[in-house]
Amino acid sequence: MADDFIKTLKLFFYIQKSHFKTAFLSVGDALSNVVIMLINNLSFIFMWWVIFHNKGSINGWDFSDMLLLNAVMNNAFAIFALFARGIQALPEYIDNGSLDNYLVSPQRPLFMIATSESTFANWGDLLTGLICWILSGYTDLLSFALMIYASLCATAVLISYRLLVSSLAFFAGDTQKLGDNIFMAFITFSSQPASIFTGWYKVMFLSIIPAGFISLIPVMLIKTAALPVFLFLSGAAVLSIVISAAFFRFGLKRYASGNRFGVR
Amino acid sequence: MTETLLKYGAFFRAAFKQGLLNRGMLSGLLFFLFILLFIYNRLWEVIGIQDNNSSLNTIYIWYLLFAEMIILSLPKPDRVLTDDIRSGTMAYYINKPISFFLMRYAEALGSMTVSFLVMGGVGSLMTLSLTGVPPFEWRYFPLIIIMCWLSSAINVLFYCGIGLSALWLESTRTLAVAVERLAFIFGGAIFPLSIYPDWFVDIARWTPFYSVYYLTIKLVYDFSWTNLFEAAVLNSLWTVLIVGFVGFAYHHLNKKVNIYGG
Amino acid sequence: MTDIIKVDRLCKKFRLKKNAAGLKGLFHPEYKTVTAVDRLSFNIKEGERVAFIGPNGAGKSTTIKMLSSILHPTSGTAEVMGLIPWENRRRLAYHIGTVFGQRSQLWYNLPVQDSFGLIGKIYGLDDIEFRRRLSKLVRLFEIRDLLGHPTRSLSLGQRMRCEIVASLIHRPQILFLDEPTIGLDVTAKEIIRNLVKKQALEENTTLLLTSHDTDDMEKVCDRVIIINKGRLIFDDSIHALKESYLNKKYIEVTDDSGAKIKTVVDTKTTPVKKALDELVQKYHITDITVENPPMEEIIKEIYRRD
């Protein structure tokens, strides 16, 4: 078991090395894309600074909350885009049949699919996350630990959601665009000051489009360090992994039945 | 003159039709537009309650709609032109009685116009149901629409120019993305520049995005003949500059093709 | 010799939506069942090179996908190296290699050797073992000059050679090739055929290949299984296939005006001598050729009889 894990970890690093190699085939492009990503993110954060500077706070959220949100969200998105981006391409893999190549591999298909793509520019997101955390002022050790933990939980929710949406392709026709759109809406929701979603919006925000687990709850956890929030976030992370993995498995079973395509 | 218009009009129409048939692209665009309108409406609603100013979301969401009509309707003409130059496709057009650049520009205008109109139509209904009647007087509506469409046309021309810079630049896509970001922030793409600090607006004034985006779109909630005049004059000025650059680059390109054969 | 693949009454049925489009299809879907593979049984011995032939939609790919663990059958069973493929997917992966004609397992932008390195890691080969194996395959498939090039810069034929090497790195005992020569030109096809056969003979690899091109089976394989509408309709050596359908002769004569006359003679009803006599009487013959029917025709004839 442990042996298996170490082997998989080694393979993971080897795959990442290959992604680095691909990106650095053109060093100028790779680095300028990272810088542009950073500028892109910072211009959004500047925009929020303007709003908060004007209005003071929005429904109890101030600019430091927004910075914490951006720290967590950018970390989560970066980890997804760097190490699990292939999940986004799953509908395409199903449609053009390249999923078969992963199914005849001796590794777990989901591992092979997830690591099959990586966008180097998203290292810029990780940089953004770091900058936002430093600017937020929550730089003591406990806050740091909570920030890292919250980022990991947010990553779990984010990747699970993408997997769930991508797995729709096992059941319907061309769902690449639909999935991309739903996921983009999810990301857009999670990048707003979470305090603006109240009432039914908040319920939606923590269920169908679980963006609250990327923005609202992580920020709460870092600021309050409260045990119930910690448990709530951890529970959400575990639950979303379980649900999406089950859905993916179910989809894979359907794929193996061949009814998705019929005779080829 | 009419013959020229007809000629490029044909490319415009072809691209327009093709854009209209691309249902997937259009519905994706509308979906994203709806998400943006919905979220920012919520934001301004909340701020409006806080500030006791219930007209905030009406003003800012109609502004946002017109801003997104310009920004989201942009096809990627820079990519098309860069590919043409890199692959040598443009050399095939050198002996044909059409300007290669104008052909691509007309096509890009065609695809832009489809998205612009569809977003304008459906987006207006969305905005109407979210925030209520627009902040402008209906008799100015045609003028506002025309001004925004012209801004969008300048925007497209701008990215065509970026495409031509493939003559000198390694990665035009990087430049295009960088410019997109600058436009986003200096043009007041989501919030009008009026809420930004003065020092920032003073910098923005020196970029084309200030008038092509902000001043033009502002007509939506702050229409006056002076504002219209200011936007029109500044936009014309920037257009002349861009056309100058494009003319220079295109001339250079033709020379290059004549010498090396593409 | 032991049977390395055993297939016993394998069936695969698909349920397809009849009215896929529109609202009606969403709420009241009507299904029709298509039988892609119909009670297929055959055994393959270690080291055999088997061609799997059939028209479009005959169930070739479906069968290969079941044997390589991708699809579950509706009924019947199969064993590959003693394992039921769809129940032992990851264990079986170490013993089989697969090449799906148009789907690459190589990284598009990276040099080919980097892709090979990655595949070595995926199969858990240690470095020494990997290098020894790769250098042998590189020699066998003559791809030394291609190693440093990214996949995207290779021609289709070169790429296919690299794809096959990629699927052989972990020393599979069985190699599944689904349309390996599709889209290649005549020369490239010939090269691939020779290399595949050479490798199979040298390492005693069991080969199962599907193809549209009957030349693939003639030049690579020693046995042919023909299926039509999911059913097995022929299973014997290539030699036997030719023998049993050789009762037709294609005769072409040229007369003194330069005109060419072609006839097909069924030797069961008309002896060749009689046919030739008639032709000689009718025309002033300046040239004559008598040929066996091409493999294409033989296969078509088999489908017709089915």
Side-chain angles (χ1 to χ4, degrees):
Chain A
M1 186 64 195
D3 196 37
D4 205 35
F5 179 73
I6 289 168
K7 265 188 190 160
T8 311
L9 204 64
K10 270 189 184 162
L11 178 60
F12 175 79
F13 283 118
Y14 196 87
I15 292 172
Q16 296 314 319
K17 208 174 90 186
S18 303
H19 284 309
F20 259 80
K21 247 186 184 168
T22 310
F24 277 99
L25 288 174
S26 160
V27 183
D29 273 4
L31 296 181
S32 61
N33 285 337
V34 170
V35 172
I36 283 186
M37 187 60 84
L38 185 66
I39 293 173
N40 177 21
N41 296 338
L42 292 180
S43 62
F44 263 105
I45 290 157
F46 173 71
M47 192 186 83
W48 286 114
W49 174 79
V50 169
I51 291 282
F52 281 101
H53 184 70
N54 256 332
K55 303 292 171 193
S57 71
I58 298 172
N59 249 12
W61 263 46
D62 59 26
F63 188 54
S64 72
D65 295 273
M66 205 56 202
L67 283 170
L68 281 182
L69 179 154
N70 271 286
V72 172
M73 185 194 61
N74 278 295
N75 287 344
F77 193 82
I79 296 171
F80 158 71
L82 293 170
F83 308 125
R85 177 69 110 186
I87 293 175
Q88 191 160 329
L90 177 61
E92 199 185 309
Y93 292 161
I94 293 172
D95 231 37
N96 66 20
S98 44
L99 181 62
D100 293 350
N101 279 336
Y102 300 119
L103 289 179
V104 294
S105 138
Q107 301 296 330
R108 286 188 172 78
L110 188 53
F111 173 78
M112 296 302 291
I113 292 163
T115 55
S116 67
E117 276 188 26
S118 167
T119 35
F120 189 79
N122 293 96
W123 285 100
D125 290 341
L126 227 43
L127 274 176
T128 314
L130 186 70
I131 292 172
C132 287
W133 170 66
I134 292 169
L135 290 179
S136 77
Y138 288 84
T139 44
D140 58 292
L141 202 63
L142 176 66
S143 300
F144 176 71
L146 287 173
M147 189 271 294
I148 296 292
Y149 183 75
S151 296
L152 291 177
C153 288
T155 307
V157 174
L158 188 141
I159 293 180
S160 299
Y161 196 62
R162 181 68 248 200
L163 180 62
L164 201 72
V165 168
S166 285
S167 298
L168 286 175
F170 284 118
F171 305 94
D174 179 17
T175 61
Q176 182 74 60
K177 277 228 172 80
L178 177 74
D180 289 355
N181 281 333
I182 296 177
F183 189 61
M184 189 191 52
F186 169 78
I187 295 293
T188 315
F189 269 95
S190 59
S191 50
Q192 313 303 320
S195 58
I196 64 173
F197 300 108
T198 49
W200 281 110
Y201 292 133
K202 195 168 177 175
V203 174
M204 185 186 78
F205 195 55
L206 293 172
S207 56
I208 313 170
I209 304 179
F213 296 105
I214 316 290
S215 56
L216 181 66
I217 310 295
V219 172
M220 230 193 234
L221 176 64
I222 301 169
K223 296 193 85 161
T224 62
L227 186 64
V229 185
F230 177 88
L231 292 176
F232 187 50
L233 184 60
S234 311
V238 172
L239 190 69
S240 55
I241 292 174
V242 169
I243 291 176
S244 65
F247 191 60
F248 173 77
R249 243 165 219 236
F250 183 57
L252 209 56
K253 241 181 208 157
R254 189 179 147 81
Y255 183 85
S257 78
N259 288 332
R260 166 82 171 74
F261 292 110
V263 198
R264 265 221 175 153
Chain B
M1 183 65 196
T2 32
E3 202 184 316
T4 316
L5 266 180
L6 278 176
K7 200 156 60 182
Y8 295 108
F11 289 111
F12 178 92
R13 272 202 311 279
F16 189 92
K17 262 190 191 161
Q18 204 175 333
L20 214 51
L21 290 174
N22 197 345
R23 297 267 167 76
M25 195 268 293
L26 287 177
S27 50
L29 216 53
L30 289 175
F31 179 75
F32 187 51
L33 181 68
F34 177 74
I35 296 289
L36 287 180
L37 294 173
F38 173 81
I39 287 177
Y40 288 105
N41 180 52
R42 189 70 205 132
L43 177 76
W44 288 114
E45 242 172 36
V46 169
I47 295 177
I49 294 167
Q50 229 169 268
D51 290 10
N52 266 327
N53 182 350
S54 59
S55 66
L56 274 186
N57 62 333
T58 314
I59 293 174
Y60 289 140
I61 297 309
W62 279 99
Y63 175 92
L64 179 66
L65 170 65
F66 279 78
E68 293 308 323
M69 278 162 65
I70 296 177
I71 293 162
L72 293 181
S73 67
L74 179 79
K76 291 195 167 54
D78 56 302
R79 208 176 262 185
V80 176
L81 277 158
T82 300
D83 284 353
D84 286 338
I85 292 171
R86 294 270 150 81
S87 67
T89 310
M90 53 147 316
Y92 293 111
Y93 288 89
I94 212 88
N95 57 359
K96 290 191 179 147
I98 49 169
S99 153
F100 169 73
F101 180 82
L102 286 180
M103 178 187 85
R104 287 296 188 232
Y105 183 53
E107 284 174 350
L109 275 187
S111 350
M112 176 275 278
T113 305
V114 175
S115 311
F116 184 87
L117 291 179
V118 170
M119 277 196 287
V122 183
S124 291
L125 292 178
M126 291 175 186
T127 313
L128 211 60
S129 63
L130 284 170
T131 77
V133 288
F136 48 79
E137 285 179 49
W138 283 107
R139 59 194 167 116
Y140 298 133
F141 180 68
L143 270 174
I144 294 172
I145 273 284
I146 289 171
M147 282 298 285
C148 285
W149 185 83
L150 283 173
S151 270
S152 203
I154 300 170
N155 198 30
V156 173
L157 183 65
F158 202 81
Y159 283 84
C160 285
I162 292 174
L164 282 187
S165 65
L167 279 169
W168 301 284
L169 288 180
E170 185 59 40
S171 166
T172 58
R173 195 60 219 156
T174 311
L175 179 67
V177 175
V179 167
E180 237 169 61
R181 279 309 114 204
L182 289 176
F184 176 83
I185 189 141
F186 287 123
I190 293 192
F191 309 125
L193 287 181
S194 55
I195 66 164
Y196 284 65
D198 290 341
W199 61 266
F200 182 79
V201 180
D202 285 338
I203 301 173
R205 245 184 253 284
W206 293 96
T207 68
F209 317 114
Y210 177 73
S211 68
V212 174
Y213 288 48
Y214 170 61
L215 282 188
T216 310
I217 307 163
K218 200 178 75 167
L219 295 173
V220 169
Y221 67 86
D222 187 12
F223 188 92
S224 74
W225 293 104
T226 342
N227 286 350
L228 178 78
F229 185 71
E230 192 191 358
V233 168
L234 281 173
N235 285 353
S236 314
L237 220 68
W238 284 111
T239 310
V240 169
L241 275 177
I242 300 166
V243 168
F245 168 79
V246 166
F248 168 75
Y250 196 60
H251 181 72
H252 193 84
L253 185 72
N254 277 338
K255 245 180 23 201
K256 235 183 181 173
V257 173
N258 281 333
I259 296 168
Y260 302 113
Chain C
M1 285 251 204
T2 48
D3 286 333
I4 198 164
I5 298 178
K6 294 182 205 165
V7 178
D8 186 21
R9 282 163 292 167
L10 201 60
C11 276
K12 181 72 205 169
K13 287 182 179 142
F14 294 114
R15 231 160 55 112
L16 295 179
K17 243 185 217 168
K18 241 156 99 182
N19 44 1
L23 275 180
K24 204 180 161 229
L26 200 62
F27 294 115
H28 302 283
E30 283 173 37
Y31 291 101
K32 68 171 179 186
T33 305
V34 177
T35 306
V37 175
D38 192 2
R39 283 160 293 167
L40 206 58
S41 300
F42 58 85
N43 289 350
I44 294 177
K45 287 188 177 36
E46 206 182 324
E48 268 192 303
R49 299 183 307 282
V50 181
F52 218 51
I53 303 277
N56 260 338
K60 298 173 303 215
S61 288
T62 307
T63 308
I64 285 227
K65 280 183 185 172
M66 286 190 279
L67 296 183
S68 59
S69 80
I70 294 167
L71 289 181
H72 287 226
T74 313
S75 64
T77 186
E79 263 181 38
V80 177
M81 309 213 40
L83 300 168
I84 296 174
W86 47 92
E87 285 172 6
N88 299 278
R89 210 174 45 70
R90 289 173 66 194
R91 262 173 76 196
L92 186 68
Y94 289 100
H95 303 292
I96 62 170
T98 44
V99 177
F100 296 109
Q102 289 146 317
R103 292 167 218 151
S104 186
Q105 42 194 331
L106 305 170
W107 284 40
Y108 192 65
N109 285 315
L110 280 186
V112 177
Q113 58 190 0
D114 290 351
S115 289
F116 291 155
L118 195 61
I119 288 163
K121 293 278 187 242
I122 289 172
Y123 285 93
L125 305 180
D126 69 53
D127 287 350
I128 301 165
E129 193 187 351
F130 168 73
R131 248 173 271 147
R132 201 178 296 153
R133 177 68 180 157
L134 185 62
S135 73
K136 181 179 179 190
L137 289 172
V138 165
R139 199 166 10 86
L140 202 62
F141 281 80
E142 299 156 23
I143 55 167
R144 180 156 305 283
D145 298 338
L146 307 180
L147 285 177
H149 293 279
T151 309
R152 69 177 140 79
S153 71
L154 302 183
S155 74
L156 200 55
Q158 292 171 332
R159 209 203 79 197
M160 187 48 72
R161 260 145 74 192
C162 295
E163 295 282 354
I164 296 172
V165 168
S167 62
L168 287 170
I169 287 174
H170 61 291
R171 293 176 203 275
Q173 288 98 316
I174 305 173
L175 184 60
F176 294 105
L177 295 160
D178 196 6
E179 301 281 0
T181 61
I182 200 161
L184 299 182
D185 64 52
V186 185
T187 332
K189 278 185 181 180
E190 205 52 43
I191 293 172
I192 296 283
R193 285 169 192 144
N194 290 337
L195 292 174
V196 166
K197 185 168 181 179
K198 197 164 99 185
Q199 185 276 333
L201 286 173
E202 211 171 306
E203 304 194 322
N204 197 31
T205 313
T206 309
L207 215 65
L208 187 59
L209 78 82
T210 72
S211 181
H212 276 95
D213 192 332
T214 48
D215 280 353
D216 286 353
M217 82 175 198
E218 260 192 286
K219 297 200 171 127
V220 179
C221 300
D222 47 19
R223 175 176 158 196
V224 57
I225 293 176
I226 301 177
I227 61 172
N228 195 17
K229 294 168 201 150
R231 281 177 297 111
L232 190 144
I233 55 174
F234 184 92
D235 178 5
D236 210 333
S237 68
I238 304 255
H239 182 71
L241 176 70
K242 280 186 182 162
E243 286 292 294
S244 56
Y245 290 89
L246 278 187
N247 50 3
K248 285 208 173 139
K249 296 289 172 194
Y250 284 52
I251 303 177
E252 183 183 292
V253 294
T254 313
D255 75 3
D256 50 6
S257 71
K260 288 184 181 344
I261 298 103
K262 292 177 186 173
T263 52
V264 182
V265 177
D266 191 339
T267 49
K268 270 187 196 154
T269 54
T270 325
V272 180
K273 181 178 182 307
K274 193 178 163 215
L276 286 178
D277 284 346
E278 272 175 25
L279 285 168
V280 168
Q281 272 167 23
K282 253 188 179 161
Y283 306 102
H284 287 275
I285 292 173
T286 59
D287 194 12
I288 183 163
T289 52
V290 181
E291 279 178 342
N292 290 326
M295 194 51 96
E296 288 271 350
E297 291 300 320
I298 296 179
I299 304 278
K300 268 190 205 156
E301 178 64 30
I302 294 178
Y303 296 152
R304 238 189 323 263
R305 285 185 202 182
D306 179 41

